[in-house]
Amino acid sequence: MTQETFKNTVFILKDEMYRFAKRFVMSSDEAEDVVQDLMMKFWQKRDELGQFGNFRSYALKSVRNECLNRLKHHDVKIGFADMQLHRSELYSMEVDNLKEHIVGFINQLPEKQKMVIHLKDVEEYDISEISEMLEMEENAVRVNLMRARQKVKEQISQLMSYEKDQLQDKYNEIFRDLKEEKMDWSFEDFLQKAEEEEPDTDAVPIIPLGEKKNRLFPNGSGWPPV
């Protein structure tokens, strides 16, 4: 795979990967580290990437796995109950802080709901595409999306007094803002970083999504530790 092909088919996903990572690690710096690490590994194995029919799906799953591994390693998961302890503070916040608190609430949703609402309402994927990415039945995607949307709207209405129409408008505004989040990392900077890093010769080969259920990797999962 040439540099130009990698730039246009893999590196182009960096912002989407970054936004998805932020749903898990809840830190911009950590999310950037996740994307940078994965991009380097993809670059080192770039000659294998042509096997994928849907690399975007693999990239997002890699982001999810990398984030969960980091959370487990650093033991920084924050439970929903912890957020509830600060409910009194949330009620007294200013309007300008609404997005920040709602994003924090979204990040505390159950994993499936969090992924579904992000992929649908931020990245604007179709239900069928989300079903394929997350290996869920389409009906399960719809149910998780409905529940997640309901919880987020309830949280908005609890924090601020909105009429029904205003509530939907505020919901749409928050998710439009999330769509605009981007990672400040040029392809030129990426290439410079790639040249400075030694190739990981021990990395497990990347395999197409369709084959993932047919083999296990040293980490005991059906996904390679990319």
Side-chain angles (χ1 to χ4, degrees):
M1 179 180 288
T2 66
Q3 285 188 9
E4 190 66 20
T5 300
F6 186 92
K7 177 181 178 181
N8 294 330
T9 59
V10 180
F11 192 76
I12 195 173
L13 300 176
K14 69 176 178 67
D15 292 333
E16 190 171 334
M17 293 169 63
Y18 169 70
R19 290 190 293 266
F20 198 44
K22 287 189 69 175
R23 299 289 74 77
F24 294 94
V25 296
M26 295 180 287
S27 161
S28 297
D29 290 341
E30 186 79 3
E32 289 182 357
D33 287 343
V34 168
V35 176
Q36 289 178 358
D37 287 350
L38 287 175
M39 278 295 175
M40 290 302 154
K41 292 172 182 178
F42 292 154
W43 174 256
Q44 292 169 7
K45 296 295 181 180
R46 59 190 178 279
D47 291 335
E48 300 175 27
L49 303 185
Q51 305 174 62
F52 289 88
N54 187 349
F55 182 76
R56 174 182 273 106
S57 178
Y58 182 87
L60 293 180
K61 287 189 176 184
S62 297
V63 168
R64 169 186 173 274
N65 289 348
E66 177 66 17
C67 289
L68 293 181
N69 285 338
R70 289 180 180 228
L71 288 171
K72 182 178 180 180
H73 179 70
H74 296 299
D75 194 26
V76 296
K77 286 187 176 179
I78 303 175
F80 179 71
D82 294 328
M83 181 180 176
Q84 297 297 87
L85 294 176
H86 304 287
R87 178 64 63 84
S88 60
E89 297 176 9
L90 297 180
Y91 275 109
S92 63
M93 70 182 177
E94 297 295 331
V95 176
D96 291 342
N97 293 329
L98 178 62
K99 175 191 168 185
E100 177 183 348
H101 289 288
I102 293 302
V103 168
F105 178 80
I106 294 171
N107 290 344
Q108 304 308 316
L109 290 171
E111 185 177 317
K112 289 182 180 180
Q113 293 181 20
K114 174 169 56 181
M115 292 190 295
V116 167
I117 197 172
H118 178 89
L119 293 174
K120 179 61 178 174
D121 289 349
V122 178
E123 305 302 341
E124 300 179 333
Y125 283 107
D126 292 334
I127 295 294
S128 59
E129 293 176 305
I130 298 173
S131 173
E132 177 185 355
M133 288 182 188
L134 303 183
E135 297 182 321
M136 295 170 58
E137 296 292 335
E138 290 189 13
N139 186 58
V141 173
R142 292 189 181 93
V143 170
N144 278 278
L145 178 62
M146 177 189 69
R147 291 174 178 171
R149 283 173 170 173
Q150 181 178 2
K151 290 177 181 178
V152 172
K153 289 179 180 179
E154 287 176 354
Q155 183 70 6
I156 295 175
S157 65
Q158 288 177 12
L159 297 174
M160 308 297 296
S161 297
Y162 286 117
E163 298 296 331
K164 185 175 181 180
D165 290 343
Q166 292 176 313
L167 177 62
Q168 184 63 49
D169 289 343
K170 179 55 64 175
Y171 179 94
N172 293 339
E173 178 186 330
I174 290 172
F175 280 88
R176 280 197 304 270
D177 288 347
L178 291 178
K179 177 75 173 180
E180 296 302 315
E181 293 181 345
K182 299 184 184 299
M183 183 175 171
D184 185 16
W185 195 30
S186 70
F187 189 62
E188 290 70 25
D189 290 340
F190 162 75
L191 290 177
Q192 182 177 354
K193 181 177 176 65
E195 291 176 357
E196 296 171 353
E197 294 199 0
E198 291 291 331
D200 184 2
T201 57
D202 296 326
V204 176
I206 293 175
I207 63 169
L209 286 173
E211 298 179 20
K212 65 184 179 302
K213 294 181 179 178
N214 298 327
R215 67 186 283 190
L216 291 177
F217 292 85
N219 61 0
S221 71
W223 286 95
V226 294

